[in-house]
Amino acid sequence: MKDLLFSNWHIMRIFRLAFAVFLFAQAYYTNEWFFIAFGLFFFIQAVFNTGCGPTGCTIPKK
């Protein structure tokens, strides 16, 4: 778990984390609490390094 959280940070993973923080801040400042759901989506993708890779969201054929 420690390796998953602290290794393999790339620009897209950092962008997802920054976007999640931005959405959390927007939810707080505008009192539009549905932004938290979108923020959680991107936060979970950033923390667990999930989402589409460099080849897109295709299923591997092998």
Side-chain angles (χ1 to χ4, degrees):
M1 184 68 161
K2 187 177 175 183
D3 290 335
L4 179 67
L5 294 176
F6 295 115
S7 65
N8 197 20
W9 281 87
H10 45 80
I11 192 71
M12 201 59 208
R13 195 170 175 188
I14 294 168
F15 178 75
R16 286 183 191 124
L17 183 64
F19 193 58
V21 170
F22 170 75
L23 288 172
F24 290 146
Q26 285 299 310
Y28 178 75
Y29 289 127
T30 62
N31 291 326
E32 298 289 341
W33 300 111
F34 66 89
F35 283 131
I36 290 178
F38 296 114
L40 281 174
F41 173 74
F42 286 106
F43 183 75
I44 289 170
Q45 280 189 338
V47 168
F48 295 113
N49 198 18
T50 59
C52 296
T55 60
C57 294
T58 61
I59 298 171
K61 297 184 187 214
K62 293 183 181 180

Short mmCIF file of all heavy atoms in Angstrom, two decimals:
data_model
loop_
_atom_site.label_atom_id
_atom_site.label_comp_id
_atom_site.label_asym_id
_atom_site.label_seq_id
_atom_site.Cartn_x
_atom_site.Cartn_y
_atom_site.Cartn_z
N MET A 1 0.82 -1.19 0.00
CA MET A 1 0.00 0.00 0.00
C MET A 1 0.87 1.25 0.00
O MET A 1 0.54 2.22 -0.67
CB MET A 1 -0.93 -0.05 1.21
CG MET A 1 -1.90 1.07 1.26
SD MET A 1 -3.07 0.91 -0.09
CE MET A 1 -4.36 1.91 0.46
N LYS A 2 1.95 1.20 0.78
CA LYS A 2 2.86 2.34 0.84
C LYS A 2 3.50 2.60 -0.52
O LYS A 2 3.63 3.76 -0.92
CB LYS A 2 3.92 2.06 1.90
CG LYS A 2 4.82 3.21 2.18
CD LYS A 2 5.77 2.84 3.31
CE LYS A 2 6.77 3.90 3.55
NZ LYS A 2 7.73 3.54 4.58
N ASP A 3 3.87 1.53 -1.23
CA ASP A 3 4.45 1.68 -2.56
C ASP A 3 3.44 2.27 -3.54
O ASP A 3 3.79 3.08 -4.40
CB ASP A 3 4.94 0.34 -3.09
CG ASP A 3 6.17 -0.15 -2.36
OD1 ASP A 3 6.90 0.68 -1.79
OD2 ASP A 3 6.38 -1.37 -2.34
N LEU A 4 2.19 1.89 -3.41
CA LEU A 4 1.14 2.40 -4.29
C LEU A 4 0.95 3.91 -4.11
O LEU A 4 0.77 4.64 -5.07
CB LEU A 4 -0.18 1.67 -4.02
CG LEU A 4 -1.39 2.11 -4.84
CD1 LEU A 4 -1.18 1.76 -6.30
CD2 LEU A 4 -2.63 1.46 -4.30
N LEU A 5 1.04 4.37 -2.88
CA LEU A 5 0.80 5.78 -2.61
C LEU A 5 2.00 6.68 -2.92
O LEU A 5 1.83 7.82 -3.33
CB LEU A 5 0.41 5.98 -1.14
CG LEU A 5 -0.93 5.38 -0.74
CD1 LEU A 5 -1.14 5.57 0.75
CD2 LEU A 5 -2.06 6.00 -1.50
N PHE A 6 3.20 6.17 -2.74
CA PHE A 6 4.38 7.03 -2.83
C PHE A 6 5.26 6.78 -4.04
O PHE A 6 6.34 7.35 -4.14
CB PHE A 6 5.22 6.89 -1.56
CG PHE A 6 4.50 7.38 -0.34
CD1 PHE A 6 4.16 6.50 0.67
CD2 PHE A 6 4.15 8.70 -0.21
CE1 PHE A 6 3.49 6.94 1.79
CE2 PHE A 6 3.48 9.15 0.91
CZ PHE A 6 3.15 8.28 1.91
N SER A 7 4.84 5.95 -4.98
CA SER A 7 5.67 5.72 -6.16
C SER A 7 4.84 5.93 -7.43
O SER A 7 3.62 5.96 -7.40
CB SER A 7 6.25 4.31 -6.14
OG SER A 7 5.21 3.36 -6.23
N ASN A 8 5.56 6.07 -8.53
CA ASN A 8 4.97 6.19 -9.86
C ASN A 8 4.06 7.41 -10.00
O ASN A 8 2.98 7.34 -10.56
CB ASN A 8 4.22 4.90 -10.22
CG ASN A 8 3.95 4.79 -11.70
OD1 ASN A 8 4.60 5.44 -12.50
ND2 ASN A 8 2.98 3.98 -12.06
N TRP A 9 4.51 8.56 -9.51
CA TRP A 9 3.76 9.80 -9.69
C TRP A 9 4.16 10.41 -11.02
O TRP A 9 5.33 10.67 -11.28
CB TRP A 9 4.03 10.77 -8.54
CG TRP A 9 3.24 10.40 -7.33
CD1 TRP A 9 3.61 9.54 -6.36
CD2 TRP A 9 1.94 10.87 -7.00
NE1 TRP A 9 2.61 9.43 -5.42
CE2 TRP A 9 1.58 10.25 -5.79
CE3 TRP A 9 1.05 11.75 -7.59
CZ2 TRP A 9 0.35 10.48 -5.18
CZ3 TRP A 9 -0.17 11.98 -6.98
CH2 TRP A 9 -0.51 11.35 -5.78
N HIS A 10 3.20 10.64 -11.89
CA HIS A 10 3.44 11.25 -13.18
C HIS A 10 2.53 12.46 -13.32
O HIS A 10 1.72 12.76 -12.43
CB HIS A 10 3.22 10.23 -14.31
CG HIS A 10 1.97 9.42 -14.15
ND1 HIS A 10 0.73 9.88 -14.50
CD2 HIS A 10 1.78 8.18 -13.65
CE1 HIS A 10 -0.17 8.97 -14.24
NE2 HIS A 10 0.44 7.92 -13.70
N ILE A 11 2.65 13.17 -14.42
CA ILE A 11 1.95 14.45 -14.57
C ILE A 11 0.43 14.29 -14.53
O ILE A 11 -0.27 15.13 -13.97
CB ILE A 11 2.41 15.16 -15.87
CG1 ILE A 11 1.92 16.59 -15.91
CG2 ILE A 11 1.96 14.43 -17.10
CD1 ILE A 11 2.60 17.48 -14.94
N MET A 12 -0.09 13.21 -15.09
CA MET A 12 -1.55 13.03 -15.08
C MET A 12 -2.06 12.73 -13.68
O MET A 12 -3.15 13.19 -13.30
CB MET A 12 -1.91 11.89 -16.04
CG MET A 12 -3.31 11.92 -16.51
SD MET A 12 -3.66 13.47 -17.34
CE MET A 12 -5.38 13.58 -17.00
N ARG A 13 -1.30 12.01 -12.92
CA ARG A 13 -1.70 11.70 -11.54
C ARG A 13 -1.69 12.97 -10.68
O ARG A 13 -2.59 13.20 -9.88
CB ARG A 13 -0.75 10.65 -10.97
CG ARG A 13 -1.24 10.00 -9.72
CD ARG A 13 -0.37 8.81 -9.37
NE ARG A 13 -0.77 8.26 -8.10
CZ ARG A 13 -0.12 7.31 -7.46
NH1 ARG A 13 0.97 6.80 -7.98
NH2 ARG A 13 -0.56 6.86 -6.31
N ILE A 14 -0.68 13.80 -10.88
CA ILE A 14 -0.61 15.08 -10.16
C ILE A 14 -1.76 15.99 -10.59
O ILE A 14 -2.37 16.68 -9.76
CB ILE A 14 0.76 15.74 -10.38
CG1 ILE A 14 1.85 14.88 -9.74
CG2 ILE A 14 0.80 17.15 -9.84
CD1 ILE A 14 3.25 15.27 -10.14
N PHE A 15 -2.07 15.98 -11.88
CA PHE A 15 -3.17 16.80 -12.38
C PHE A 15 -4.51 16.36 -11.77
O PHE A 15 -5.32 17.21 -11.40
CB PHE A 15 -3.23 16.71 -13.91
CG PHE A 15 -4.37 17.49 -14.50
CD1 PHE A 15 -4.32 18.87 -14.57
CD2 PHE A 15 -5.50 16.83 -14.96
CE1 PHE A 15 -5.37 19.58 -15.10
CE2 PHE A 15 -6.56 17.54 -15.50
CZ PHE A 15 -6.50 18.92 -15.56
N ARG A 16 -4.73 15.06 -11.66
CA ARG A 16 -5.97 14.57 -11.04
C ARG A 16 -6.07 15.01 -9.59
O ARG A 16 -7.15 15.38 -9.12
CB ARG A 16 -6.04 13.05 -11.12
CG ARG A 16 -6.34 12.52 -12.48
CD ARG A 16 -6.46 11.01 -12.45
NE ARG A 16 -6.49 10.48 -13.79
CZ ARG A 16 -5.64 9.55 -14.24
NH1 ARG A 16 -4.72 9.06 -13.46
NH2 ARG A 16 -5.75 9.13 -15.47
N LEU A 17 -4.95 14.95 -8.87
CA LEU A 17 -4.96 15.38 -7.47
C LEU A 17 -5.24 16.88 -7.36
O LEU A 17 -6.05 17.31 -6.53
CB LEU A 17 -3.63 15.03 -6.81
CG LEU A 17 -3.52 15.36 -5.34
CD1 LEU A 17 -4.52 14.53 -4.53
CD2 LEU A 17 -2.11 15.07 -4.85
N ALA A 18 -4.60 17.67 -8.20
CA ALA A 18 -4.83 19.11 -8.18
C ALA A 18 -6.27 19.45 -8.55
O ALA A 18 -6.89 20.34 -7.94
CB ALA A 18 -3.86 19.81 -9.13
N PHE A 19 -6.83 18.75 -9.52
CA PHE A 19 -8.21 18.99 -9.93
C PHE A 19 -9.18 18.61 -8.82
O PHE A 19 -10.18 19.29 -8.59
CB PHE A 19 -8.52 18.24 -11.22
CG PHE A 19 -9.79 18.67 -11.87
CD1 PHE A 19 -9.99 19.99 -12.26
CD2 PHE A 19 -10.81 17.76 -12.11
CE1 PHE A 19 -11.17 20.38 -12.86
CE2 PHE A 19 -11.99 18.14 -12.71
CZ PHE A 19 -12.17 19.46 -13.09
N ALA A 20 -8.88 17.53 -8.10
CA ALA A 20 -9.72 17.13 -6.98
C ALA A 20 -9.70 18.19 -5.88
O ALA A 20 -10.75 18.55 -5.33
CB ALA A 20 -9.26 15.79 -6.42
N VAL A 21 -8.54 18.72 -5.57
CA VAL A 21 -8.43 19.79 -4.56
C VAL A 21 -9.19 21.02 -5.02
O VAL A 21 -9.89 21.67 -4.24
CB VAL A 21 -6.95 20.10 -4.26
CG1 VAL A 21 -6.81 21.34 -3.42
CG2 VAL A 21 -6.29 18.90 -3.59
N PHE A 22 -9.08 21.35 -6.32
CA PHE A 22 -9.82 22.48 -6.87
C PHE A 22 -11.33 22.27 -6.71
O PHE A 22 -12.06 23.20 -6.32
CB PHE A 22 -9.46 22.67 -8.34
CG PHE A 22 -10.34 23.64 -9.06
CD1 PHE A 22 -10.20 25.00 -8.85
CD2 PHE A 22 -11.32 23.20 -9.94
CE1 PHE A 22 -11.02 25.90 -9.51
CE2 PHE A 22 -12.13 24.09 -10.59
CZ PHE A 22 -11.98 25.45 -10.38
N LEU A 23 -11.82 21.07 -7.00
CA LEU A 23 -13.25 20.81 -6.88
C LEU A 23 -13.71 20.85 -5.42
O LEU A 23 -14.81 21.33 -5.13
CB LEU A 23 -13.60 19.45 -7.50
CG LEU A 23 -13.54 19.42 -9.02
CD1 LEU A 23 -13.71 18.00 -9.52
CD2 LEU A 23 -14.59 20.32 -9.62
N PHE A 24 -12.87 20.38 -4.50
CA PHE A 24 -13.22 20.47 -3.08
C PHE A 24 -13.32 21.95 -2.66
O PHE A 24 -14.23 22.33 -1.93
CB PHE A 24 -12.20 19.76 -2.21
CG PHE A 24 -12.22 18.26 -2.33
CD1 PHE A 24 -11.06 17.53 -2.22
CD2 PHE A 24 -13.40 17.57 -2.54
CE1 PHE A 24 -11.06 16.15 -2.33
CE2 PHE A 24 -13.42 16.18 -2.65
CZ PHE A 24 -12.25 15.48 -2.55
N ALA A 25 -12.38 22.76 -3.12
CA ALA A 25 -12.41 24.18 -2.78
C ALA A 25 -13.64 24.87 -3.37
O ALA A 25 -14.28 25.70 -2.72
CB ALA A 25 -11.13 24.86 -3.28
N GLN A 26 -13.99 24.51 -4.61
CA GLN A 26 -15.16 25.10 -5.22
C GLN A 26 -16.44 24.70 -4.48
O GLN A 26 -17.35 25.51 -4.34
CB GLN A 26 -15.26 24.67 -6.69
CG GLN A 26 -14.30 25.38 -7.59
CD GLN A 26 -14.53 26.88 -7.58
OE1 GLN A 26 -15.64 27.36 -7.75
NE2 GLN A 26 -13.46 27.62 -7.34
N ALA A 27 -16.49 23.47 -4.02
CA ALA A 27 -17.66 23.03 -3.25
C ALA A 27 -17.79 23.85 -1.98
O ALA A 27 -18.89 24.23 -1.58
CB ALA A 27 -17.55 21.54 -2.93
N TYR A 28 -16.67 24.14 -1.35
CA TYR A 28 -16.70 24.90 -0.11
C TYR A 28 -17.08 26.37 -0.35
O TYR A 28 -17.93 26.92 0.34
CB TYR A 28 -15.33 24.81 0.57
CG TYR A 28 -15.25 25.61 1.84
CD1 TYR A 28 -15.85 25.16 3.00
CD2 TYR A 28 -14.57 26.83 1.88
CE1 TYR A 28 -15.79 25.89 4.16
CE2 TYR A 28 -14.50 27.57 3.04
CZ TYR A 28 -15.11 27.10 4.18
OH TYR A 28 -15.05 27.83 5.32
N TYR A 29 -16.44 26.99 -1.34
CA TYR A 29 -16.66 28.43 -1.57
C TYR A 29 -18.03 28.74 -2.16
O TYR A 29 -18.61 29.79 -1.86
CB TYR A 29 -15.58 29.01 -2.47
CG TYR A 29 -14.24 29.10 -1.79
CD1 TYR A 29 -13.11 28.54 -2.37
CD2 TYR A 29 -14.09 29.72 -0.56
CE1 TYR A 29 -11.88 28.60 -1.75
CE2 TYR A 29 -12.87 29.78 0.08
CZ TYR A 29 -11.77 29.22 -0.52
OH TYR A 29 -10.55 29.28 0.09
N THR A 30 -18.55 27.87 -3.01
CA THR A 30 -19.82 28.16 -3.67
C THR A 30 -21.01 27.47 -3.01
O THR A 30 -22.14 27.69 -3.45
CB THR A 30 -19.77 27.74 -5.15
OG1 THR A 30 -19.57 26.33 -5.23
CG2 THR A 30 -18.70 28.49 -5.91
N ASN A 31 -20.76 26.65 -2.00
CA ASN A 31 -21.81 25.87 -1.33
C ASN A 31 -22.58 24.99 -2.29
O ASN A 31 -23.76 24.72 -2.10
CB ASN A 31 -22.77 26.79 -0.57
CG ASN A 31 -22.11 27.43 0.62
OD1 ASN A 31 -21.25 26.83 1.25
ND2 ASN A 31 -22.49 28.66 0.93
N GLU A 32 -21.93 24.54 -3.34
CA GLU A 32 -22.50 23.58 -4.28
C GLU A 32 -21.88 22.23 -3.95
O GLU A 32 -20.84 21.85 -4.47
CB GLU A 32 -22.19 23.98 -5.73
CG GLU A 32 -22.77 25.30 -6.15
CD GLU A 32 -24.27 25.26 -6.31
OE1 GLU A 32 -24.84 24.17 -6.46
OE2 GLU A 32 -24.87 26.34 -6.27
N TRP A 33 -22.52 21.48 -3.09
CA TRP A 33 -21.90 20.31 -2.50
C TRP A 33 -21.81 19.11 -3.43
O TRP A 33 -21.12 18.14 -3.13
CB TRP A 33 -22.63 19.94 -1.21
CG TRP A 33 -22.56 21.08 -0.25
CD1 TRP A 33 -23.60 21.85 0.15
CD2 TRP A 33 -21.39 21.62 0.39
NE1 TRP A 33 -23.16 22.84 1.01
CE2 TRP A 33 -21.81 22.72 1.18
CE3 TRP A 33 -20.04 21.29 0.36
CZ2 TRP A 33 -20.92 23.47 1.93
CZ3 TRP A 33 -19.17 22.05 1.12
CH2 TRP A 33 -19.61 23.12 1.89
N PHE A 34 -22.46 19.16 -4.59
CA PHE A 34 -22.31 18.04 -5.52
C PHE A 34 -20.92 18.00 -6.15
O PHE A 34 -20.52 16.99 -6.71
CB PHE A 34 -23.40 18.06 -6.60
CG PHE A 34 -23.34 19.22 -7.54
CD1 PHE A 34 -22.59 19.15 -8.70
CD2 PHE A 34 -24.04 20.37 -7.26
CE1 PHE A 34 -22.55 20.21 -9.58
CE2 PHE A 34 -23.99 21.45 -8.12
CZ PHE A 34 -23.24 21.37 -9.28
N PHE A 35 -20.15 19.10 -6.05
CA PHE A 35 -18.77 19.10 -6.54
C PHE A 35 -17.91 18.13 -5.74
O PHE A 35 -16.88 17.66 -6.23
CB PHE A 35 -18.15 20.49 -6.45
CG PHE A 35 -18.59 21.43 -7.54
CD1 PHE A 35 -19.04 22.70 -7.24
CD2 PHE A 35 -18.56 21.04 -8.87
CE1 PHE A 35 -19.44 23.57 -8.23
CE2 PHE A 35 -18.97 21.90 -9.87
CZ PHE A 35 -19.41 23.18 -9.55
N ILE A 36 -18.31 17.82 -4.52
CA ILE A 36 -17.54 16.88 -3.69
C ILE A 36 -17.53 15.50 -4.34
O ILE A 36 -16.51 14.81 -4.31
CB ILE A 36 -18.09 16.84 -2.26
CG1 ILE A 36 -17.77 18.15 -1.56
CG2 ILE A 36 -17.52 15.66 -1.48
CD1 ILE A 36 -18.30 18.26 -0.17
N ALA A 37 -18.63 15.09 -4.94
CA ALA A 37 -18.68 13.78 -5.60
C ALA A 37 -17.68 13.71 -6.74
O ALA A 37 -16.95 12.73 -6.90
CB ALA A 37 -20.08 13.50 -6.10
N PHE A 38 -17.61 14.76 -7.55
CA PHE A 38 -16.64 14.79 -8.64
C PHE A 38 -15.22 14.86 -8.11
O PHE A 38 -14.30 14.25 -8.65
CB PHE A 38 -16.92 15.97 -9.57
CG PHE A 38 -18.23 15.87 -10.27
CD1 PHE A 38 -19.23 16.79 -10.01
CD2 PHE A 38 -18.49 14.86 -11.18
CE1 PHE A 38 -20.45 16.71 -10.65
CE2 PHE A 38 -19.70 14.77 -11.83
CZ PHE A 38 -20.68 15.69 -11.57
N GLY A 39 -15.03 15.63 -7.03
CA GLY A 39 -13.71 15.71 -6.41
C GLY A 39 -13.26 14.37 -5.86
O GLY A 39 -12.08 14.00 -6.01
N LEU A 40 -14.17 13.63 -5.25
CA LEU A 40 -13.82 12.31 -4.74
C LEU A 40 -13.45 11.35 -5.87
O LEU A 40 -12.54 10.53 -5.72
CB LEU A 40 -14.99 11.73 -3.93
CG LEU A 40 -15.13 12.25 -2.52
CD1 LEU A 40 -16.41 11.71 -1.90
CD2 LEU A 40 -13.93 11.88 -1.69
N PHE A 41 -14.14 11.46 -6.97
CA PHE A 41 -13.83 10.62 -8.12
C PHE A 41 -12.38 10.83 -8.57
O PHE A 41 -11.61 9.87 -8.74
CB PHE A 41 -14.80 10.93 -9.27
CG PHE A 41 -14.47 10.24 -10.55
CD1 PHE A 41 -14.71 8.89 -10.69
CD2 PHE A 41 -13.95 10.94 -11.62
CE1 PHE A 41 -14.43 8.24 -11.88
CE2 PHE A 41 -13.66 10.30 -12.80
CZ PHE A 41 -13.89 8.95 -12.94
N PHE A 42 -11.98 12.08 -8.74
CA PHE A 42 -10.61 12.37 -9.19
C PHE A 42 -9.59 12.10 -8.08
O PHE A 42 -8.47 11.69 -8.36
CB PHE A 42 -10.50 13.80 -9.69
CG PHE A 42 -11.15 13.98 -11.03
CD1 PHE A 42 -12.35 14.65 -11.14
CD2 PHE A 42 -10.56 13.48 -12.17
CE1 PHE A 42 -12.95 14.80 -12.37
CE2 PHE A 42 -11.15 13.64 -13.41
CZ PHE A 42 -12.36 14.30 -13.52
N PHE A 43 -9.98 12.30 -6.84
CA PHE A 43 -9.06 12.03 -5.73
C PHE A 43 -8.75 10.54 -5.63
O PHE A 43 -7.59 10.16 -5.45
CB PHE A 43 -9.67 12.54 -4.42
CG PHE A 43 -8.78 12.38 -3.24
CD1 PHE A 43 -7.69 13.23 -3.06
CD2 PHE A 43 -9.01 11.40 -2.31
CE1 PHE A 43 -6.86 13.07 -1.97
CE2 PHE A 43 -8.19 11.23 -1.22
CZ PHE A 43 -7.11 12.08 -1.04
N ILE A 44 -9.76 9.70 -5.76
CA ILE A 44 -9.54 8.26 -5.70
C ILE A 44 -8.69 7.80 -6.89
O ILE A 44 -7.81 6.95 -6.73
CB ILE A 44 -10.89 7.52 -5.64
CG1 ILE A 44 -11.52 7.75 -4.27
CG2 ILE A 44 -10.73 6.04 -5.93
CD1 ILE A 44 -12.95 7.28 -4.15
N GLN A 45 -8.92 8.39 -8.06
CA GLN A 45 -8.09 8.05 -9.20
C GLN A 45 -6.63 8.43 -8.96
O GLN A 45 -5.72 7.70 -9.34
CB GLN A 45 -8.58 8.75 -10.47
CG GLN A 45 -9.74 8.09 -11.11
CD GLN A 45 -10.03 8.69 -12.47
OE1 GLN A 45 -9.66 9.83 -12.76
NE2 GLN A 45 -10.72 7.95 -13.30
N ALA A 46 -6.40 9.58 -8.34
CA ALA A 46 -5.04 10.02 -8.10
C ALA A 46 -4.36 9.17 -7.03
O ALA A 46 -3.20 8.77 -7.19
CB ALA A 46 -5.03 11.48 -7.68
N VAL A 47 -5.04 8.88 -5.95
CA VAL A 47 -4.42 8.14 -4.85
C VAL A 47 -4.11 6.71 -5.24
O VAL A 47 -3.01 6.20 -4.98
CB VAL A 47 -5.33 8.19 -3.60
CG1 VAL A 47 -4.86 7.21 -2.55
CG2 VAL A 47 -5.35 9.59 -3.03
N PHE A 48 -5.04 6.04 -5.92
CA PHE A 48 -4.86 4.64 -6.26
C PHE A 48 -4.30 4.43 -7.67
O PHE A 48 -4.16 3.29 -8.11
CB PHE A 48 -6.16 3.87 -6.08
CG PHE A 48 -6.60 3.81 -4.66
CD1 PHE A 48 -7.75 4.46 -4.24
CD2 PHE A 48 -5.85 3.12 -3.72
CE1 PHE A 48 -8.15 4.41 -2.92
CE2 PHE A 48 -6.25 3.08 -2.40
CZ PHE A 48 -7.39 3.73 -2.00
N ASN A 49 -3.99 5.51 -8.37
CA ASN A 49 -3.39 5.47 -9.70
C ASN A 49 -4.23 4.63 -10.66
O ASN A 49 -3.75 3.74 -11.36
CB ASN A 49 -1.96 4.94 -9.65
CG ASN A 49 -1.18 5.29 -10.89
OD1 ASN A 49 -1.56 6.17 -11.63
ND2 ASN A 49 -0.09 4.59 -11.12
N THR A 50 -5.51 4.93 -10.71
CA THR A 50 -6.42 4.25 -11.63
C THR A 50 -6.80 5.22 -12.74
O THR A 50 -6.46 6.39 -12.71
CB THR A 50 -7.69 3.77 -10.92
OG1 THR A 50 -8.35 4.89 -10.34
CG2 THR A 50 -7.35 2.76 -9.85
N GLY A 51 -7.55 4.75 -13.68
CA GLY A 51 -7.99 5.59 -14.77
C GLY A 51 -7.35 5.14 -16.07
O GLY A 51 -6.68 4.12 -16.14
N CYS A 52 -7.57 5.90 -17.09
CA CYS A 52 -7.05 5.55 -18.41
C CYS A 52 -5.55 5.79 -18.46
O CYS A 52 -5.06 6.80 -18.00
CB CYS A 52 -7.73 6.38 -19.47
SG CYS A 52 -9.49 6.04 -19.59
N GLY A 53 -4.86 4.86 -19.04
CA GLY A 53 -3.41 4.97 -19.19
C GLY A 53 -3.04 5.70 -20.47
O GLY A 53 -3.89 6.27 -21.15
N PRO A 54 -1.79 5.64 -20.85
CA PRO A 54 -1.34 6.34 -22.05
C PRO A 54 -1.91 5.75 -23.34
O PRO A 54 -1.93 6.40 -24.36
CB PRO A 54 0.17 6.21 -22.01
CG PRO A 54 0.45 5.07 -21.11
CD PRO A 54 -0.69 5.00 -20.14
N THR A 55 -2.39 4.51 -23.29
CA THR A 55 -2.96 3.90 -24.49
C THR A 55 -4.47 4.08 -24.57
O THR A 55 -5.09 3.55 -25.48
CB THR A 55 -2.64 2.38 -24.52
OG1 THR A 55 -3.20 1.77 -23.35
CG2 THR A 55 -1.15 2.15 -24.59
N GLY A 56 -5.05 4.78 -23.64
CA GLY A 56 -6.48 5.01 -23.66
C GLY A 56 -7.21 4.00 -22.77
O GLY A 56 -6.62 3.25 -22.01
N CYS A 57 -8.51 3.99 -22.87
CA CYS A 57 -9.34 3.14 -22.02
C CYS A 57 -9.75 1.87 -22.74
O CYS A 57 -10.91 1.46 -22.69
CB CYS A 57 -10.59 3.92 -21.58
SG CYS A 57 -10.23 5.31 -20.54
N THR A 58 -8.84 1.24 -23.40
CA THR A 58 -9.17 0.01 -24.11
C THR A 58 -8.82 -1.20 -23.27
O THR A 58 -7.99 -1.15 -22.38
CB THR A 58 -8.39 -0.08 -25.44
OG1 THR A 58 -7.01 -0.07 -25.15
CG2 THR A 58 -8.73 1.05 -26.35
N ILE A 59 -9.48 -2.30 -23.56
CA ILE A 59 -9.20 -3.56 -22.87
C ILE A 59 -8.07 -4.26 -23.61
O ILE A 59 -8.10 -4.38 -24.84
CB ILE A 59 -10.46 -4.44 -22.86
CG1 ILE A 59 -11.57 -3.74 -22.10
CG2 ILE A 59 -10.15 -5.81 -22.28
CD1 ILE A 59 -12.91 -4.42 -22.20
N PRO A 60 -7.02 -4.71 -22.90
CA PRO A 60 -5.92 -5.37 -23.59
C PRO A 60 -6.39 -6.66 -24.27
O PRO A 60 -7.22 -7.39 -23.74
CB PRO A 60 -4.91 -5.68 -22.49
CG PRO A 60 -5.47 -5.18 -21.23
CD PRO A 60 -6.80 -4.59 -21.48
N LYS A 61 -5.85 -6.96 -25.44
CA LYS A 61 -6.26 -8.14 -26.19
C LYS A 61 -5.52 -9.38 -25.79
O LYS A 61 -5.92 -10.47 -26.13
CB LYS A 61 -6.08 -7.88 -27.68
CG LYS A 61 -6.96 -6.75 -28.16
CD LYS A 61 -6.86 -6.54 -29.64
CE LYS A 61 -7.65 -5.30 -29.94
NZ LYS A 61 -8.31 -5.25 -31.14
N LYS A 62 -4.44 -9.26 -25.04
CA LYS A 62 -3.67 -10.44 -24.63
C LYS A 62 -4.20 -11.01 -23.34
O LYS A 62 -4.63 -10.37 -22.47
CB LYS A 62 -2.20 -10.06 -24.44
CG LYS A 62 -1.55 -9.69 -25.72
CD LYS A 62 -0.10 -9.39 -25.49
CE LYS A 62 0.55 -8.99 -26.80
NZ LYS A 62 1.93 -8.70 -26.65
#
